[in-house]
Amino acid sequence: MSRVDSELSDILCSNEICTKIFDISRISGGCINNAFKFSTDAGEFFVKTNNTPNSKMMFEGEAESLRAIAAAVPDFTSQPLYVGSLLSGGALLVTTFLRLSTSHAKNAQILLGRKLSALHMSESPNGLFGFPVVTMCGATEQDNTWEKDWETFYKKRRLGSILDKCLKKNPRDTELRRLGDIIIDKVVHHLLKNVEVRPVLIHGDLWSGNWSVNSVTNEPVIFDPASYYGHSEMELSIMTMFGSPSRDFFNEYHTNHPRQEPAFEQRQELYQLYHWLNHYYLFGGGYRETSISIMKKLCNLVDE
């Protein structure tokens, strides 16, 4: 048993998650984490570790997100059991283990639409937009400070924040700065002025790699959340960026959450912009070109 495996085993046992470890398997944990399946006398558990300086905050945000999702829609995600620091540096998150299937058949798509619709009926407990803790979209900290209205939250806590991060990394990118100012000052209000937005619980990073099917129940499950109470359309925007659910999903989802008009498609681009800029911030490269292209298109909606 390696030093890391031994430390993780001690943590599970000392926190009374189990008393005996039978097997430890290394499994996929995404691009920024290490992940393990622990087979124990109390069942199977999923353990993620990360050694970056903000890893404990990241896992605390994920655990709070999982708790909120599980409370809103039972069996839609795993249950968080423990978040803590590692003596070797970094932090860990322990959750219940989900056996995942690769099948995304029609029935699973319909059920995903139904369950996500139910999640988006769970409204903010204080009527505000935000979340009690910081959550992280990939490796990017998200400021979830509560705001009274969605326009302010999206301008300050999402779009403005990620633009600032991009510009700190790329201070000579005057085009990004110019287009960003127009979108913050004019476009966001233009696209939200005729829409009523309620603060509902969203996963926050629901691309195709963050949902699957529980092979035991044959029902869809979501994971790796970066939750907050925001506009439900924000959730839909990332779902079509890197792969997409089928038409069956959207038909079921929009049965309970009809498309909000006017300008639904334009708002999808506005919300996708946050995620494209986040990818530009994290990975650079061609994501700038995509971001600039969307920004120019959005700026054409208003008089500069």
Side-chain angles (χ1 to χ4, degrees):
M1 183 181 291
S2 72
R3 180 172 56 83
V4 172
D5 291 352
S6 178
E7 182 179 3
L8 295 177
S9 298
D10 289 345
I11 289 172
L12 265 65
C13 293
S14 64
N15 285 279
E16 300 182 345
I17 295 171
C18 61
T19 58
K20 286 185 179 180
I21 310 292
F22 299 134
D23 185 61
I24 304 172
S25 303
R26 293 175 184 268
I27 57 178
S28 174
C31 61
I32 62 174
N33 300 306
N34 296 311
F36 309 82
K37 181 180 80 170
F38 275 70
S39 299
T40 79
D41 60 339
E44 295 176 328
F45 300 99
F46 180 68
V47 180
K48 285 202 294 192
T49 66
N50 190 289
N51 62 2
T52 57
N54 58 2
S55 55
K56 189 175 182 188
M57 180 178 64
M58 174 178 70
F59 287 146
E60 287 172 341
E62 182 173 344
E64 190 66 26
S65 299
L66 292 171
R67 276 189 283 271
I69 293 169
V73 186
D75 302 320
F76 198 23
T77 194
S78 57
Q79 292 279 357
L81 302 173
Y82 178 79
V83 175
S85 300
L86 294 169
L87 293 175
S88 52
L92 79 158
L93 167 68
V94 183
T95 73
T96 52
F97 188 81
L98 297 173
R99 290 184 174 271
L100 303 180
S101 166
T102 56
S103 171
H104 289 182
K106 177 178 179 177
N107 189 55
Q109 298 274 347
I110 293 172
L111 285 173
L112 178 64
R114 192 173 302 163
K115 286 195 166 190
L116 194 65
S117 173
L119 182 68
H120 292 171
M121 292 177 183
S122 181
E123 297 197 24
S124 169
N126 58 12
L128 303 178
F129 296 88
F131 206 59
V133 298
V134 171
T135 52
M136 294 181 67
C137 192
T140 303
E141 295 179 20
Q142 295 188 134
D143 178 2
N144 293 321
T145 302
W146 298 104
E147 297 287 356
K148 291 182 180 180
D149 65 275
W150 172 245
E151 182 176 332
T152 300
F153 184 88
Y154 189 64
K155 282 182 178 180
K156 291 177 62 176
R157 310 300 174 189
R158 288 298 175 268
L159 203 53
S161 176
I162 196 62
L163 277 166
D164 286 345
K165 287 180 170 68
C166 289
L167 288 167
K168 282 180 181 177
K169 264 193 173 182
N170 306 276
R172 296 181 181 179
D173 196 337
T174 56
E175 185 176 32
L176 183 69
R177 187 183 304 276
R178 181 182 68 83
L179 294 171
D181 286 345
I182 296 168
I183 289 174
I184 295 291
D185 293 342
K186 296 183 179 182
V187 175
V188 176
H189 177 71
H190 175 74
L191 291 176
L192 289 174
K193 62 185 176 182
N194 295 316
V195 179
E196 180 182 355
V197 182
R198 296 179 296 111
V200 300
L201 182 62
I202 66 175
H203 174 285
D205 190 19
L206 197 54
W207 68 288
S208 60
N210 282 348
W211 79 274
S212 189
V213 174
N214 185 328
S215 63
V216 177
T217 64
N218 289 320
E219 295 203 355
V221 287
I222 58 179
F223 36 85
D224 293 345
S227 291
Y228 55 97
Y229 292 93
H231 191 187
S232 58
E233 289 181 359
M234 187 77 180
E235 191 95 281
L236 300 183
S237 66
I238 193 173
M239 295 184 77
T240 58
M241 286 175 62
F242 308 103
S244 176
S246 70
R247 183 177 299 178
D248 297 307
F249 161 81
F250 288 103
N251 287 342
E252 180 66 25
Y253 179 86
H254 286 307
T255 298
N256 296 304
H257 290 278
R259 286 169 47 128
Q260 292 177 287
E261 298 293 354
F264 173 86
E265 295 294 343
Q266 288 80 10
R267 282 193 306 278
Q268 287 292 281
E269 292 182 307
L270 176 67
Y271 294 158
Q272 285 177 351
L273 178 60
Y274 168 72
H275 293 289
W276 287 122
L277 286 169
N278 188 38
H279 278 68
Y280 175 41
Y281 170 65
L282 292 173
F283 309 116
Y287 293 113
R288 179 191 182 277
E289 183 179 345
T290 303
S291 300
I292 292 294
S293 176
I294 293 172
M295 294 171 85
K296 287 180 177 178
K297 186 175 179 181
L298 290 170
C299 287
N300 286 335
L301 298 174
V302 297
D303 295 326
E304 296 188 27

